[in-house]
Amino acid sequence: MLNILRRFFRRNDPLVLGCAVALSAFSVLLLMGIQQMGVIGRRTVIMQIIAAALGLLLALGLAHLDYERLGGWWKFYVPAAVALMLLTFTPLGQTRSDAIETNRSWLNLGFTTIQPAEFLKIAFILSLAYHLSRTEGRLGENRTLIRVALHAIFPVLLILLQKDWGVAAVMLFIVVAMVIMAGLPRRWIVMGAAAAVVFIPLAWFFLLDDYQKIRFTLLKNPEAYALGAAYQQLQGRISFGSGQMFGIGIFSGEHRYVPDMYNDMIFTFIGESVGFIGALGVLVVYIILLVRILQIGIRSSNRMGRCITVGVFTMLASQIIINVAMCLLVGPSVGVTLPLLSAGGSSVLSAYLGLGLVLSVGHAEKPTMFS
């Protein structure tokens, strides 16, 4: 038995798995506490357990597959991911509303709903890493760069059509990080940064609608929108602060109600339940996980492997930063989940699939006397 465990942990990074399982277990506890309040039903908790268990199995399965071969199968999984996205524009699509906007990013399967954009993120990271791995030394060429740009822009535009601004932002961060990692010449990086500086004010005045601008302007004076667009975030900030240093307990039954406290705003429930110290502990676990992902990428001798780890790192890191900023009212509310903690099977599966690809990269590296 001991030998089996040794072989298991030798083939599967224990730090990555340990952090992921710990976060999933904590998520179930949090959701049980929210269930006790009557905000969600038992089904939400059960679905979270099922999603975490299935995700862990998928991650362990991916860990033992050749990620380069998986990348070469893009003709199968990319069209499937895109098809799921397109189905959201049919009667099977389901809308979700917040205080000021409605987005069409869910697919109703009858027995449950899924968010196809979560799976598109993983398909995109894998396919783009495969694409970039075959452009070594040619990424500065116009023809090659145009092809990569088309590859990168298409899924972002598809998500924008759903009005899912949060996931679109995460995808954009992934694109930038992976392309730079692949060796984009410095002149293109400078030109891209200059274009962003010019585009941002143009987008503000000519592309964004008033309800989109409100997400940013309310940050200056959220109390002015206390009964409208800022209600959720204001309630969340009060909830987080009421936990003080050590919190009032997950099952205390005295929690303040915050809209979507089981999903996008779960970090506010964490702050109220286990306090500032507990919330800080959660962030430390995330940092350990992210650092380990980078270590696996640095250790990889394969260009595609490094691109995958950077893509997964950026996906998780950007979601954590955006979500925490949103919950603490220092960033706009854009509907981004907290990886492995927020309720939602699609989000949980996406995170585990990403970690499975990272484990595959780590598993592909043969151990040496110094590793």
Side-chain angles (χ1 to χ4, degrees):
M1 183 66 180
L2 187 59
N3 289 332
I4 293 176
L5 289 174
R6 284 176 179 172
R7 286 197 298 270
F8 175 82
F9 284 113
R10 192 176 299 161
R11 296 172 68 89
N12 301 286
D13 192 287
L15 202 53
V16 170
L17 291 176
C19 289
V21 172
L23 289 168
S24 286
F26 188 50
S27 171
V28 173
L29 282 177
L30 295 171
L31 293 178
M32 289 173 65
I34 297 173
Q35 178 196 355
Q36 183 177 284
M37 294 174 58
V39 176
I40 58 173
R42 186 181 179 186
R43 184 178 184 276
T44 301
V45 180
I46 293 174
M47 290 300 291
Q48 190 77 350
I49 295 172
I50 293 173
L54 179 59
L56 181 59
L57 290 175
L58 290 172
L60 292 174
L62 283 175
H64 295 82
L65 296 178
D66 183 348
Y67 61 86
E68 289 190 89
R69 181 171 295 180
L70 285 174
W73 294 348
W74 65 269
K75 292 180 181 180
F76 299 99
Y77 59 80
V78 169
V82 171
L84 286 175
M85 289 287 292
L86 294 176
L87 282 175
T88 63
F89 299 103
T90 71
L92 292 176
Q94 183 171 310
T95 59
R96 295 288 176 93
S97 300
D98 59 20
I100 53 179
E101 184 183 5
T102 298
N103 66 66
R104 192 177 187 86
S105 55
W106 296 83
L107 193 59
N108 191 342
L109 301 181
F111 63 94
T112 189
T113 58
I114 63 171
Q115 190 175 8
E118 293 290 342
F119 304 110
L120 182 65
K121 286 191 298 187
I122 302 303
F124 173 73
I125 289 173
L126 186 56
S127 63
L128 184 61
Y130 180 78
H131 189 166
L132 291 171
S133 69
R134 277 144 182 79
T135 63
E136 191 163 5
R138 296 181 289 109
L139 195 54
E141 298 176 3
N142 291 341
R143 180 180 297 182
T144 302
L145 195 58
I146 289 173
R147 289 175 178 173
V148 170
L150 291 174
H151 186 164
I153 291 172
F154 176 73
V156 176
L157 293 177
L158 196 57
I159 294 172
L160 283 175
L161 287 175
Q162 294 182 327
K163 296 185 178 180
D164 197 339
W165 309 103
V167 176
V170 171
M171 290 285 280
L172 190 58
F173 289 136
I174 292 172
V175 169
V176 173
M178 291 182 68
V179 172
I180 291 177
M181 173 66 226
L184 183 67
R186 186 174 301 177
R187 68 178 184 277
W188 286 107
I189 297 176
V190 173
M191 290 171 62
V197 170
V198 174
F199 177 76
I200 290 173
L202 290 176
W204 179 266
F205 289 108
F206 300 107
L207 294 180
L208 296 184
D209 294 325
D210 289 339
Y211 68 85
Q212 293 167 332
K213 294 178 182 178
I214 288 175
R215 294 182 182 272
F216 295 90
T217 56
L218 66 79
L219 298 175
K220 293 182 179 180
N221 183 22
E223 286 75 16
Y225 302 87
L227 299 179
Y231 174 76
Q232 181 189 46
Q233 288 178 282
L234 279 171
Q235 290 294 102
R237 187 172 67 176
I238 296 171
S239 174
F240 186 91
S242 65
Q244 300 185 30
M245 288 298 291
F246 300 103
I248 64 175
I250 295 175
F251 300 100
S252 71
E254 301 176 358
H255 294 278
R256 175 183 295 271
Y257 171 74
V258 179
D260 290 326
M261 61 193 298
Y262 59 95
N263 192 278
D264 298 346
M265 302 297 288
I266 199 167
F267 193 69
T268 65
F269 184 78
I270 292 173
E272 189 175 25
S273 300
V274 295
F276 175 78
I277 298 299
L280 185 62
V282 169
L283 295 180
V284 169
V285 174
Y286 275 132
I287 290 171
I288 293 172
L289 176 61
L290 292 172
V291 169
R292 186 56 181 162
I293 291 172
L294 284 182
Q295 288 178 335
I296 292 173
I298 292 171
R299 193 178 64 190
S300 176
S301 58
N302 184 285
R303 181 186 181 88
M304 182 177 174
R306 293 193 297 272
C307 286
I308 287 174
T309 54
V310 166
V312 175
F313 169 87
T314 306
M315 177 184 78
L316 297 177
S318 59
Q319 285 187 221
I320 294 166
I321 293 170
I322 292 172
N323 183 276
V324 171
M326 177 178 70
C327 290
L328 299 183
L329 228 176
V330 295
S333 176
V334 290
V336 171
T337 57
L338 194 59
L340 298 173
L341 287 178
S342 293
S346 300
S347 174
V348 172
L349 288 175
S350 173
Y352 271 109
L353 287 171
L355 293 177
L357 292 176
V358 171
L359 291 174
S360 176
V361 174
H363 182 250
E365 296 303 310
K366 295 180 179 179
T368 68
M369 63 181 293
F370 299 107
S371 64

